[in-house]
């Protein structure tokens, strides 16, 4: 049976063992890899997919993480984790 579970960045179900699911943190400045002029702040993130077994020796998540990015003009846009990168300041 396939199922999807969503977990937000600030979800109380998260603990240190699942911190790998979120590459970015709330407030991180990111740019779009295809259009570097699109610069915004991470507003929230959601993991979509199946959680790995806590007892598994090798964690292999079966899902993806998407992030809500807030731009200066108060526009929010959703990006896949692979489409954005953190701006080094």
């Amino acid at each position: 049976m396939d199922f999807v579970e969503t977990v937000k960045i600030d979800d109380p179900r998260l603990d240190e063992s699942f911190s790998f699911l979120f590459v970015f943190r709330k407030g991180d400045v990111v740019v779009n890899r295809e259009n570097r002029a699109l610069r915004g702040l991470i507003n929230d993130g959601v993991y979509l997919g199946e959680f790995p077994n806590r007892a598994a020796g090798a964690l292999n998540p079966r899902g993806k993480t998407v992030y809500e990015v807030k731009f200066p003009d108060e526009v929010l846009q959703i990006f896949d984790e692979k489409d954005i990168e953190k701006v080094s300041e």
Side-chain angles (χ1 to χ4, degrees):
M1 173 185 276
D2 289 335
F3 66 93
V4 173
E5 180 158 4
T6 63
V7 180
K8 295 180 67 153
I9 284 178
D10 57 357
D11 195 305
R13 293 177 290 165
L14 288 177
D15 61 19
E16 291 175 12
S17 65
F18 289 116
S19 63
F20 73 93
L21 298 174
F22 297 101
V23 173
F24 305 106
R25 294 185 175 184
K26 198 169 195 165
D28 281 352
V29 178
V30 295
V31 293
N32 182 297
R33 288 179 188 224
E34 292 181 10
N35 181 357
R36 300 193 67 76
L38 286 177
R39 176 185 288 229
L41 297 174
I42 296 291
N43 191 54
D44 209 345
V46 176
Y47 174 75
L48 304 169
E50 211 175 307
F51 276 117
N53 184 341
R54 285 184 186 268
L59 296 176
N60 297 312
R62 289 178 270 175
K64 67 178 181 174
T65 305
V66 294
Y67 292 91
E68 181 181 71
V69 178
K70 186 176 184 179
F71 294 101
D73 52 0
E74 299 299 318
V75 171
L76 297 173
Q77 191 169 350
I78 305 296
F79 289 96
D80 190 300
E81 168 179 86
K82 66 181 188 234
D83 296 331
I84 55 178
E85 64 184 54
K86 189 172 181 180
V87 174
S88 44
E89 309 223 8

